[in-house]
Amino acid sequence: MGWKAEWERSISDPDGFWMEQAQAIDWDVMPTKALHDRGGPVAEWFSDGMVNTCHNAVDRHVAAGHGARTAIIYDSPVTGTVEHVSFAQLQGRVARLAGGLAAQGVGVGDRVIIYMPMVPQALEAMLACARIGAIHSVVFGGFAAAELAVRIDDARPKAILAGSCGIEGTRVIEYKPLLDAAIDMAAHKPEFCVVFQREQAIADMTPRDFDWEDFCEADPVPCVPVAGDHPAYILYTSGTTGAPKGVVRPTGGHLVAMDWSMANIYGVDPGEVFWAASDVGWVVGHSYICYAPLIHGCTTVVFEGKPVGTPDPSTFWRVMADHKVAAFFTAPTAFRAVRREDPQATFMDGHDLSGLRTIFLAGERADPDTVEWIGTVTGKPVIDHWWQTETGWTIAGNPIGLEPLPVKLGSPSVPMPGYDVQVLDEGGHATAPNTLGAIAIKLPLPPGTLPTLWNAEERFRKSYLDAFPGYYETGDAGMIDEDGYLWIMARTDDVINVAGHRLSTGAMEEVLAGHADVAECAVIGVADALKGQVPMGLLCLTSGVDRPEAEIVAECVARVRQTIGPVAAFKLAVVVDRLPKTRSGKILRASMVKVAEGTLDKVPATIDDPAILDEIGSAMARLGYPVR
Ligand code: COA
Ligand code: AMP
């Protein structure tokens, strides 16, 4: 069956469709049906089944005789290391780490925070939690201590597993002082931490800390089956306010969706090598560095480096060639970085890419120029797909394994099975083809997607379900064309996308507003040739403040880096007298974005004082915007 027939069946007979896909998973107790209405905000999947994620990702492959197959290739140009971990070795390591956790009293439903760089131990930590039914929450290393503290207080972990340091290009970033500071800041205290000591920075230990190697001397423990709707993990993501949203991933649906996507969306077979160049701290890392490749019996690449500078723009090509990568996945920004340093792709010379079949892009809009460049220099199909932390896998894509569809540059193509995607107008009515509106998904969402937010069911309803009853609101705006292809145009909230990283301008505004001299502020996302967008702060000072602008701006930049983290990439800020507002007092952020991009052709009718936009334009000119 082709894409259309599969998609239609998934919508008309979700139970039948997904029970069939569930056969690919090893269940301890097979669910009686796929879709369950358990009185929660949305229907859930496979709730009455019993299953273990680690068993499906690791143990079952060993049991099937594939123990010698490579599970993880760790390629770290920043430390000069290449290591192969077989499924049998992975099983041993994970079972012992899980044994250590169990011996310290961690069990089903307990939370464990993981704060680690791109090393195999990060995946082992995730899988060890899954093995004993503990719920992990991985926190990206580029977040500052305060952000980690917020997650500690929300998830209330029994334990934290951390690396002693991460390596950013040539810089060693010590994680342990950040971890200790976060625990000091948080109201909740974990019972213990386990620290993976890396030779680049050996961490000082406290009585609360175990050394990773000692901890893994514990007796191995078997996989513990959990209910199909048991939370596999919590992953925090940015919303409109400063408080991150704890996206909950349900176990059974996640397993089924992950496995289905590998065969049908990415078109890879067990035993092949899959590489997602992202970070375990993001959803791409959860789904396509850790879980999906391993569940499907593929080899996954854990790459600790950058597209450029580690040591040069040949790195991507070298890793693909050295490890015979069959499918590669990254964010467009990574290729923009490569192209900027090596426009003719001369660094590709000498690297045999004959094993590479497809390149996948996601995380931000895939600009046609970049897509065309990648296609030209590699000669491979370049496939855009659109999804988000909340869904955990593709909403709209081009299902290479199922049926490759014609590519339309600039569109992530068509909805995947289970996703009834519609574009709605303000009244909640489906729009005509090619008409812009809010992109929503008719409930139920397919398996693997979020059933709620951790500790925040009301926020879940408010953020996603209330605007259009019966639909999940994606937060993206766009349109569907006459062929059913989706076009993603913009966010409808205050989320921006910086180098494929999702960030909240609201969170940055909260930090800036805490500066003693800032009376009022706005943060907007402005176009950036490398990162897609970067944040820009507009600061109104408290009356009477008479200090040099540069000083205040530098303090604000440092403050955001200190509180949110370097990943915010907040480097642009300017002092203005007033912010443009509507007569009812709403800040006109979208108009300011247009001023920064030089595309403001119409001043909004609701503006209180149109002259302010000119003032904003003059201020932005001091930052070199709009960039010509
Ligand atoms: N730990 C500590 N700091 C980190 C970090 C981590 N794990 N990850 C990023 N940072 C720091 C960077 O060093 C940088 O610091 P700086 O301001 O001192 O230079 C800052 O956070 C911003 O990082 P980033 O926006 O990633 O910029 P960059 O210049 O380091 O790299 C790219 C730019 C495009 C090469 C890089 O972002 C990239 O490869 N992105 C695409 C892949 C990706 O992970 N996408 C996610 C979803 S698929
Ligand atoms: P995240 O939750 O970090 O994966 O970010 C999800 C958001 O990134 C989406 O809601 C979109 O705004 C944006 N995004 C992800 N993939 C794409 C894509 N292929 N095209 C356009 N925008 C995308």
Side-chain angles (χ1 to χ4, degrees), residues 382-600:
V382 182
I383 303 297
D384 181 18
H385 57 325
W386 168 67
W387 49 292
Q388 41 186 216
T389 305
E390 288 84 344
T391 64
W393 64 287
T394 312
I395 308 172
N398 192 332
I400 291 300
L402 181 62
E403 180 193 2
L405 301 171
V407 169
K408 291 194 188 191
L409 271 183
S411 161
S413 304
V414 296
M416 290 300 97
Y419 290 102
D420 186 353
V421 182
Q422 302 190 11
V423 174
L424 305 179
D425 64 18
E426 278 178 10
H429 306 293
T431 58
N434 298 310
T435 312
L436 199 65
I439 308 179
I441 302 164
K442 195 162 187 296
L443 296 174
L445 292 170
T449 54
L450 82 173
T452 190
L453 293 175
W454 185 254
N455 281 339
E457 190 166 306
E458 233 359 82
R459 188 173 180 197
F460 173 71
R461 291 180 198 275
K462 238 173 103 185
S463 308
Y464 303 107
L465 305 180
D466 286 358
F468 305 111
Y471 290 85
Y472 165 87
E473 188 189 9
T474 65
D476 284 304
M479 57 196 189
I480 298 177
D481 72 15
E482 54 290 340
D483 298 322
Y485 277 57
L486 212 63
W487 298 80
I488 313 296
M489 311 306 272
R491 289 287 303 188
T492 56
D493 56 12
D494 296 324
V495 164
I496 58 170
N497 198 312
V498 180
H501 308 140
R502 174 167 159 182
L503 299 167
S504 160
T505 54
M508 292 184 226
E509 287 176 5
E510 282 175 30
V511 174
L512 295 174
H515 187 290
D517 293 347
V518 174
E520 195 177 23
C521 64
V523 175
I524 56 173
V526 299
D528 181 81
L530 173 66
K531 298 193 179 190
Q533 283 183 303
V534 288
M536 178 191 283
L538 298 124
L539 314 168
C540 299
L541 303 186
T542 313
S543 64
V545 172
D546 186 20
R547 295 169 56 211
E549 175 176 10
E551 220 172 81
I552 295 172
V553 164
E555 287 166 10
C556 285
V557 166
R559 203 178 162 86
V560 174
R561 192 177 175 96
Q562 189 66 29
T563 316
I564 296 180
V567 67
F570 182 82
K571 294 186 175 159
L572 291 175
V574 67
V575 170
V576 295
D577 283 339
R578 312 176 284 173
L579 292 172
K581 291 185 184 167
T582 62
R583 279 183 278 281
S584 60
K586 201 170 168 291
I587 297 175
L588 289 162
R589 291 182 180 75
S591 301
M592 288 194 282
V593 171
K594 287 187 180 144
V595 171
E597 293 174 357
T599 55
L600 185 77

Side-chain angles (χ1 to χ4, degrees), residues 599-611:
T599 55
L600 185 77
D601 45 14
K602 203 164 89 226
V603 174
T606 51
I607 196 165
D608 186 27
D609 179 356

